[in-house]
């Protein structure tokens, strides 16, 4: 099998896809985002409890490919208990790691896993779907 | 594997006409239901038109313009002969299937449709043969009625008979489902509808390239298809209509080349088909479509169908050997369009694994979102074959699917 | 004759990019207002797309489909930069000028128009920018009001000011008349209309190839042009629209690739521009249009205009030496489109005499029949130039006209 | 100048174009035909007095190119005083001479003049315009 593929579907993504973090519906959350890609039908709801300018709890539910699901799961895991400002920063980091070769740029292992999607331009959107929506929400 | 029969439709020879396979020798192009690759004659036909023959049509007196006009109009003859239309007056040039259907909706149906009337479509329509009818129903207060199908993806003809009524003003049905591959009994559909005096549009986007079409025998009122799905250029298509309809229909797009007389106060339109062809059409595209139809007419459709039945049958059988793969669409009469899905693997991931090995299939809802809802799946992976595809390509696809399944488990 | 100035726009070099002149070395192609010849890069661009890159767009996961989609979407950037649009979201792909205008009429204007409202057009509109407005007026009971011109073919701007009123709901004006060559003061038209809050559509079919266009500066609400008149393929065009309009407009053609969600009950559309691009568009044509715009952008428009002003001026001056020939259209600001007629020689006879010497001009009403009625002539002969045309071609034309005149007298 | 052109615009056509036969409006004629080509705008009215199954008198008026005008003039001249049956025959002869090489086929000089239009396919319709309309009328 193709090495680039193996790179993409390696542990982080497969793990999160098979065992997503906080995969649950919380319809009563203070904020519910919908991350939807009409071209492929991927659709996740992200349930966020915001209090005191911080994300107190965050869950997600929905349907999508391994990449989009894992990326949403990684996001949920990364943003829980973060202040809004820190969450913004994390979104920026993730999207930067996704789109740019990160020479010397320190990044998290779970973020870097998605950089392999750069080899599959058709899949970049899958990796960024929920993060894009989250960014829009956080930046107001 | 070994070919078990002797065919004159030899994909290995036919492939040689298609430059894409020279440039991508390793490409298994199994996305023919989305768009087909083009033979060199079509590509050259378009290029040579621009290189040697380019002129605007219909009004020129000089040689280039006259020859361009003649060549352009000859394509109407070829289209008529390809689908068995009685005359070139039945042949309207459009920009594609979608445009043809929208034209019939706006120009033919809208003025006949009122509140409480009904339009019948099937559960397996492409968005192109669904949304236009849905929108005209919303506009007029009519009802869109959907003919259901069984779990194999076969139309429920009893339900069709039941739902046909005095209120039915139009039936629109896909000839071959681009998602399930089901071949619908269009002759019966037309028959039953006509018994009630209801006109029928058949969406032939997926049928013209492979199956013999005779609109006179089928007796449908309208028949539409796209150039790019019959080995031709993008941006062109054909709308066939019965003359009694075309002549009574008012044009809905206006511009040059479709008029008889114009003043600031009023306009008298030309006859059909010209009145539907406002402005400069896709001249080079239509000429390219002529070459595509010429390419098609070289082959015996019976042999094409025979080959594709074998190829599709082989693919379906081999796919069964992939663990937990489910084929969606198991109609008895079907074309070599095969949708499948895995419970735990998203179609996009499937397409990515195949794409990495240079196997092009499509993943998603295939512009049949409501059909996906019926099967309660978000999408499928779809492999669609034509007669330049080979048994070996099936083998390659199945091999990758098995590897993927193993890797992801 | 001798060129009197130094130009970088050198027609003899530019011609070499156009294969038609290799295949017809003796052809004087003076029918550029009808359609332009295509440079090799455009022809190759389309052919190579089909040969090496062909795939349907937007939904594919495999490499070919992704690359095709990117290439296709990049053309939107180029179109935006060519006409100074702020964003690709302003750029709607159409099948041509005619289609763009019809879309604006149906989707933007129709729902705002009622009885006693008025739509203003000019007396020199092409049928494409006349009949659609006429028909929507008939349908809604609104009035089509025509802005007159003087006998030189210049718009009567005082009359325009007078006719603009609270009842005016739309102004549609041609940038450059395809019959008279008049260049209309579109900036003033837009200014005046906007002072009254009236939106303006500009028909740029004849202007984009030669003149610098900046829709932001012009501030028009809509701007339309055709690919085939800017050295590009047939069957494609661009509609520019302000985002505030495009976002509020409902699509009028329905099909695949323009939706967000679909069920049998309802459809939610995608955003603009996608919602206006139902079905498989003319993908290869749009990619070819990209190459055509690239070709155009190699040249300095100021130099193009300078050359064409000289060439057009020379042609007008030389034509005056032909006995009893009358030039129709003598606006101060004009492009190299020259209509002329003889009292006793029909334009078709003129075109035949020229055609016999391989000089291609157009004869007839040029899709501006009402304009012909104003000048009280049944048609004109029209020579229209671009920057691959030469002074020598003018000389050839004039020579034949003189011989013809002598022979027929 | 091109020889084929000279062939086309030779005496018959130029003569009839400059001095058309029975060029006059007779709006009260028993039958008025309109021969119109929307592509080029040529439009002739043909005024016919039919009595006793014969064309008693025939005139025309309108606007068109040299070819269409001369061809209409030749038609008017040829059909005057002809029985309907003979007129039908003449129409057939003319249209045949126009569209086919007339090997040994006897035809009239004024008809043959238009055969040169075969070299200019864009002009064939000009030559046949009024004759086509007349045929349709006569054949009922
Ligand atoms: C001024 C003008 N408007 C509109 C059109 C129509 O363009 P198209 O036929 O490409 O739609 C033309 C070309 O004929 C034109 O010259
Ligand atoms: C069955 C069917 N109908 C309609 C269409 C729409 O065709 P086009 O996009 O060429 O207008 C397609 C192709 O996608 C199709 O498969």
């Amino acid at each position: 099998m193709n090495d680039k593929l193996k790179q993409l579907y390696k542990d982080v993504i497969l793990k999160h896809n098979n065992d997503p973090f906080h995969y649950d519906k919380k319809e009563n959350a203070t904020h519910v985002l919908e991350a939807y890609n009409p071209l492929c039908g991927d659709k996740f709801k992200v349930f966020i409890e915001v209090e005191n300018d911080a994300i107190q709890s965050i869950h997600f539910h929905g349907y999508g490919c391994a990449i989009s699901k894992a990326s949403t799961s990684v996001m949920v895991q990364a943003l829980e208990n973060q202040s809004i400002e820190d969450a913004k920063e994390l979104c920026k980091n993730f999207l930067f790691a996704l789109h740019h070769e990160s020479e010397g740029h320190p990044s998290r292992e779970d973020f870097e896993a998605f950089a392999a999607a750069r080899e599959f331009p058709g899949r970049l959107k899958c990796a960024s779907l929920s993060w894009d929506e989250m960014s829009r929400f956080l930046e107001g | 594997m070994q070919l078990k029969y002797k065919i004159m439709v030899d994909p290995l020879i036919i492939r040689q006409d298609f430059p894409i396979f020279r440039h991508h020798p390793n490409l298994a192009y199994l996305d023919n239901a989305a768009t087909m690759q083009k033979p060199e004659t079509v590509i050259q036909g378009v290029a040579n038109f621009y290189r040697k023959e380019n002129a605007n049509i219909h009004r020129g007196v000089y040689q280039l313009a006259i020859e361009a006009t003649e060549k352009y109009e000859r394509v109407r003859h070829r289209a008529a002969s390809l689908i068995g239309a009685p005359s070139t007056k039945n042949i309207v040039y459009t920009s594609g299937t979608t445009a043809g259907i929208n034209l019939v909706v706006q120009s033919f149906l809208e003025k006949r449709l009122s509140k409480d009337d009904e339009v019948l479509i099937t559960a397996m329509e492409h968005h192109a043969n669904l949304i236009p009818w849905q929108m005209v129903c919303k506009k007029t207060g009519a009802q869109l009625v959907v003919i259901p199908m069984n779990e194999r993806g076969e139309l429920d003809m009893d339900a069709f008979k039941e739902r046909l009524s005095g209120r039915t003003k139009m039936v629109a049905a896909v000839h071959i489902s681009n998602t399930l591959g089901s071949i619908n009994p269009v002759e019966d559909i037309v028959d039953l509808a006509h018994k009630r005096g209801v006109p029928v549009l058949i969406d032939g986007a997926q049928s013209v390239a492979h199956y013999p079409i005779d609109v006179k025998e089928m007796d449908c009122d309208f028949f539409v298809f796209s150039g790019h799905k019959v080995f031709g250029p993008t941006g062109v298509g054909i709308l066939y209509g019965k003359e009694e309809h075309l002549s009574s229909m008012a044009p809905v797009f206006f511009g040059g080349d479709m008029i008889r007389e114009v003043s600031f106060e009023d306009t008298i339109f030309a006859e059909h088909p010209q009145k539907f062809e406002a402005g400069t059409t896709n001249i080079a595209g239509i000429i390219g479509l002529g070459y595509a139809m010429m390419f098609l007419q070289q082959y015996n459709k019976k042999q094409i169908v025979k080959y594709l039945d074998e190829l599709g049958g082989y693919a379906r059988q081999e796919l069964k050997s992939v663990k937990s793969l489910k084929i969606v669409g198991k109609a008895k009469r079907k074309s070599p369009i095969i949708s499948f899905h895995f419970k735990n693997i998203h179609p996009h991931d499937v397409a990515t694994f195949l794409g990495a090995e240079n196997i092009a299939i499509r993943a998603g809802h295939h512009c049949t979102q409501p059909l996906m809802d019926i099967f309660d799946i978000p999408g499928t992976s779809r492999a669609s074959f034509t007669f330049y595809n080979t048994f070996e390509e099936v083998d390659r696809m199945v091999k990758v699917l098995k590897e993927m399944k193993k890797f992801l488990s």
Side-chain angles (χ1 to χ4, degrees), chain A, chain B:
Chain A
M1 222 171 60
N2 191 304
D3 280 346
K4 288 175 185 163
L5 254 191
K6 285 192 191 147
Q7 185 82 25
L8 180 60
Y9 287 90
K10 68 184 175 187
D11 297 351
V12 173
I13 289 180
L14 286 190
K15 188 183 132 271
H16 277 273
N17 182 48
N18 293 334
D19 184 16
F21 183 81
H22 279 196
Y23 189 71
D24 207 350
K25 289 186 202 171
K26 302 275 180 191
E27 299 286 357
N28 294 328
T30 57
H31 299 87
V32 181
L33 310 185
E34 186 181 277
Y36 176 50
N37 182 350
L39 289 186
C40 62
D42 286 7
K43 192 189 267 176
F44 294 100
K45 280 190 171 176
V46 182
F47 308 94
I48 319 171
E49 286 293 340
V50 178
E51 230 185 273
N52 301 329
D53 274 345
I55 296 175
Q56 302 300 342
S57 93
I58 173 166
H59 293 74
F60 84 109
H61 197 270
Y63 184 86
C65 61
I67 317 284
S68 64
K69 192 170 179 187
S71 123
T72 310
S73 174
V74 163
M75 178 180 85
V76 164
Q77 197 169 40
L79 299 192
E80 198 178 36
N81 294 324
Q82 300 291 335
S83 72
I84 296 293
E85 282 317 304
D86 288 349
K88 282 186 192 173
E89 201 53 36
L90 283 162
C91 285
K92 271 192 208 134
N93 279 350
F94 179 87
L95 291 170
F96 189 92
L98 186 64
H99 292 292
H100 304 85
E101 297 281 350
S102 55
E103 296 162 22
H105 191 83
S107 188
R108 303 160 47 142
E109 195 207 344
D110 55 351
F111 286 15
E112 269 308 321
F114 295 90
R118 281 202 297 267
E119 296 290 338
F120 298 87
R123 307 304 302 281
L124 272 175
K125 182 70 202 165
C126 310
S128 72
L129 183 65
S130 294
W131 292 87
D132 286 338
E133 196 55 43
M134 180 61 73
S135 268
R136 253 193 302 278
F137 166 70
L138 293 172
E139 305 288 343
Chain B
M1 61 92 41
Q2 289 271 313
L3 290 189
K4 279 177 240 101
Y5 50 89
K6 182 104 185 115
I7 40 158
M8 281 168 63
V9 168
D10 182 340
L12 294 180
I13 290 173
I14 290 166
R15 288 172 85 77
Q16 293 175 5
D17 289 342
F18 289 76
I20 194 95
F21 299 120
R22 238 184 358 264
H23 292 286
H24 303 275
N26 205 26
L27 172 66
Y29 185 77
L30 308 182
D31 195 18
N32 295 287
T35 199
M36 279 175 164
Q37 297 302 336
K38 319 303 172 197
E40 181 64 24
T41 48
V42 169
I43 303 169
Q44 285 274 348
V46 172
N48 281 342
F49 175 74
Y50 285 134
R51 283 207 181 96
K52 305 182 186 171
E53 307 159 1
N54 179 62
N56 210 329
I57 51 166
H58 285 158
R59 284 162 200 287
V61 171
Y62 53 90
Q63 201 60 19
L64 276 183
I66 291 159
E67 284 167 10
T69 305
E70 280 173 4
K71 196 159 182 175
Y72 174 87
E73 287 298 332
R74 271 203 302 276
V75 177
R76 251 188 255 276
H77 286 275
R78 197 169 285 279
S81 89
L82 184 73
I83 61 169
S87 145
T88 55
K89 300 207 85 182
N90 300 108
I91 303 295
V92 181
Y93 292 146
T94 69
S95 62
T97 304
T98 303
I101 296 168
N102 277 276
L103 177 58
V104 173
V105 171
Q106 289 187 27
S107 171
F108 176 78
L109 186 64
E110 184 166 333
K111 64 170 187 281
R112 302 166 182 239
L113 204 61
S114 15
K115 203 163 161 327
D116 303 326
D117 285 344
E118 294 180 350
V119 174
L120 257 63
I121 62 168
T122 82
M124 59 182 102
E125 295 309 320
H126 186 280
H127 292 163
N129 204 27
L130 156 58
I131 309 177
W133 309 109
Q134 183 183 66
M135 290 295 143
V136 77
C137 284
K138 272 191 193 300
K139 193 167 171 182
T140 56
Q143 279 294 320
L144 187 68
V145 177
V146 180
I147 312 166
M149 58 188 179
N150 63 24
E151 71 293 341
R152 288 192 304 280
E154 291 163 333
L155 217 56
D156 182 341
M157 290 301 284
D158 291 330
F160 176 51
K161 276 176 234 167
E162 271 164 37
R163 277 158 218 219
L164 257 178
S165 79
R167 287 190 303 280
T168 314
K169 285 292 175 308
M170 186 88 203
V171 171
V174 67
H175 192 172
I176 297 182
S177 160
N178 66 305
T179 301
L180 306 175
S182 321
I183 303 177
N184 285 318
V186 285
E187 301 79 2
D188 300 344
I189 292 174
V190 173
D191 249 26
L192 288 165
H194 281 184
K195 286 215 177 90
R196 289 263 186 186
V198 180
V200 180
L201 175 142
I202 299 297
D203 171 355
Q206 296 295 345
S207 58
V208 177
H210 298 155
Y211 298 84
I213 303 289
D214 189 325
V215 289
K216 234 167 107 187
E217 213 175 278
M218 194 190 295
D219 200 28
C220 55
D221 298 86
F222 299 100
F223 186 93
V224 285
F225 66 98
S226 295
H228 72 103
K229 291 186 204 270
V230 295
F231 307 101
T234 52
V236 289
I238 299 289
L239 162 65
Y240 158 85
K242 286 189 176 170
E243 277 214 62
E244 63 202 81
H245 299 321
L246 294 182
S247 68
S248 76
M249 282 157 64
V252 289
F253 317 108
F254 310 101
D257 233 32
M258 47 86 75
I259 57 109
R260 192 176 152 87
E261 282 184 79
V262 181
S263 70
F264 287 124
E265 289 71 40
D266 207 357
T267 296
I268 303 169
F269 300 111
E271 303 220 314
H272 63 280
Q274 277 74 28
K275 69 179 171 189
F276 300 113
E277 298 169 0
T280 305
T281 55
N282 188 354
I283 302 170
I286 285 159
I287 283 167
L289 176 57
Y291 286 100
M293 295 191 291
M294 215 183 293
F295 167 82
L296 250 189
Q297 289 182 319
Q298 291 177 286
Y299 299 98
N300 181 332
K301 284 253 174 99
K302 274 199 193 135
Q303 290 183 357
I304 293 177
V305 173
K306 185 169 182 321
Y307 177 64
L308 291 179
D309 281 351
E310 298 259 357
L311 184 64
Y314 178 70
R316 285 187 172 87
Q317 168 206 308
E318 292 297 300
L319 283 170
K320 279 189 205 144
S321 69
V322 182
K323 233 180 87 183
S324 84
L325 178 152
K326 274 223 173 76
I327 288 179
V328 183
K330 300 184 168 185
K332 241 181 156 160
R333 292 179 62 208
K334 56 190 169 312
S335 84
I337 295 175
I338 310 175
S339 266
F340 54 89
H341 79 118
F342 294 90
K343 195 167 179 319
N344 287 314
I345 311 175
H346 188 281
H348 266 202
D349 295 311
V350 175
T352 298
F353 276 81
L354 290 167
E357 299 295 335
N358 238 320
I359 302 166
I361 63 144
R362 195 134 293 228
H365 55 54
H366 318 297
C367 293
T368 56
Q369 204 167 296
L371 180 61
M372 297 294 104
D373 296 341
I374 293 176
F375 282 103
D376 196 22
I377 45 179
T380 71
S381 303
R382 181 188 70 186
S384 53
F385 299 85
T386 187
F387 53 100
Y388 49 56
N389 292 122
T390 65
F391 284 69
E392 188 236 331
E393 289 173 327
V394 172
D395 294 341
R396 277 176 60 195
M397 172 178 72
V398 170
K399 179 163 170 284
V400 172
L401 290 175
K402 285 180 176 168
E403 285 172 6
M404 173 196 75
K405 184 69 194 125
K406 211 168 127 204
F407 180 78
L408 293 182
S409 299

